[in-house]
Amino acid sequence: MRTDQNLASLRPTHTAPVVFGAGAAIGVLGGMIGLGGAEFRLPLLIGFFGFAALSAVILNKAMSLVVVLVALPARLVAVPAAEVAARWPVAVNLLAGSLLGAWAGASWAVRMRSSTLYKVLAVLMVLMAVALVVTHTTALGTLDLPLWAQVPAGVVAGFGIGVVAAIMGVAGGELLIPTIVLLFGEDIKSAGSLSLLVSLPTMLVAFARYSRDGSFAVLGANRRFTVVMAAGSIAGAVLGGLLLGVFPDVVLIPALAVILLVSAVKLARHN
């Protein structure tokens, strides 16, 4: 078991409007590209609010869970529940790997030295930047794998996504959506709904693992901060959704990818 030295003791001194505004800004960024924005919130928690790596990951995971819980019923309005339910084998296939990956990722995160975790997060930020560019600038097709190959590929992909989501404290939609399209041939809209169904239990498993030791104390010590930023993230995501399409992807996506890459460099150099 490993705990960050600043895990629960660090209480940000920023005012509620600043915290809410930061969450809203992240929500807008995510909403404009149809995601929750957790990948942008993580470096903000570390670089601006001063949380240690593991503390930031757990806080990010808590806020991501709140955003997913709010987004899921709203998403089911756009894609009927019956339509999503008919695709349950896809969700089950990915969950078979993602639940194990979430437990493994959280276990590794709590055991890593802080210096190592910062570098791992930096690498994953680069992965997210690549996934963002590929997903939004490439016409995704399908791999047309036979069933005997599709099922194990789904389990392996789910495991990897579960690990990444647990270590970064994100829902994993950035990776789940293209995976669902490529492996299972679903359209983007259905893939978005299925990704939420996979993300929710995957995040709960990661939470269960984080709760087994002292690392979970950061939530109790920063309850007000978490609630205010989560509220800002939800409000921002709604606004970002309304702005969807206002900024052309050819400008927006590279800009967001650069933000992630700059964040990755800063995390890699973090002491």
Side-chain angles (χ1 to χ4, degrees):
M1 183 181 73
R2 165 199 153 306
T3 56
D4 260 311
Q5 60 181 355
N6 294 328
L7 201 59
S9 60
L10 182 59
R11 293 173 181 270
T13 56
H14 300 86
T15 63
V18 170
V19 175
F20 183 91
I26 296 303
V28 169
L29 287 177
M32 285 193 297
I33 55 175
L35 298 171
E39 65 275 19
F40 302 105
R41 186 168 53 236
L42 181 61
L44 190 69
L45 288 170
I46 295 173
F48 183 72
F49 290 107
F51 284 102
L54 184 58
S55 297
V57 167
I58 294 172
L59 288 168
N60 202 32
K61 177 68 75 176
M63 295 176 211
S64 297
L65 180 59
V66 173
V67 172
V68 167
L69 286 171
V70 172
L72 186 55
R75 187 81 190 191
L76 291 177
V77 173
V79 182
E83 187 176 329
V84 177
R87 293 168 168 79
W88 66 265
V90 174
V92 170
N93 193 172
L94 289 169
L95 280 170
S98 68
L99 297 180
L100 293 173
W103 188 272
S107 297
W108 293 333
V110 298
R111 291 190 177 102
M112 284 183 199
R113 297 175 54 188
S114 290
S115 57
T116 302
L117 184 54
Y118 284 121
K119 291 179 174 58
V120 169
L121 291 174
V123 171
L124 295 181
M125 282 287 178
V126 175
L127 172 64
M128 288 296 181
V130 172
L132 180 66
V133 171
V134 171
T135 302
H136 289 83
T137 62
T138 305
L140 296 176
T142 177
L143 297 178
D144 290 323
L145 296 177
L147 185 61
W148 64 265
Q150 189 180 85
V151 172
V155 173
V156 172
F159 182 86
I161 292 170
V163 169
V164 172
I167 292 179
M168 293 189 71
V170 300
E174 304 88 337
L175 303 177
L176 278 169
I177 292 174
T179 297
I180 292 171
V181 173
L182 288 170
L183 285 184
F184 304 100
E186 300 290 345
D187 62 88
I188 289 290
K189 185 181 289 186
S190 297
S193 297
L194 286 167
S195 73
L196 291 177
L197 291 179
V198 175
S199 295
L200 184 55
T202 301
M203 286 192 290
L204 291 175
V205 167
F207 257 127
R209 176 59 188 89
Y210 281 128
S211 68
R212 293 185 63 187
D213 55 44
S215 58
F216 224 32
V218 67
L219 290 177
N222 297 278
R223 187 181 298 108
R224 183 170 178 269
F225 176 92
T226 305
V227 170
V228 172
M229 180 168 271
S233 296
I234 293 170
V238 172
L239 177 58
L242 296 175
L243 294 174
L244 191 64
V246 171
F247 299 96
D249 281 357
V250 70
V251 174
L252 182 61
I253 299 305
L256 296 179
V258 168
I259 291 175
L260 289 175
L261 293 175
V262 171
S263 298
V265 172
K266 290 184 176 181
L267 287 178
R269 294 176 175 175
H270 199 287
N271 293 319

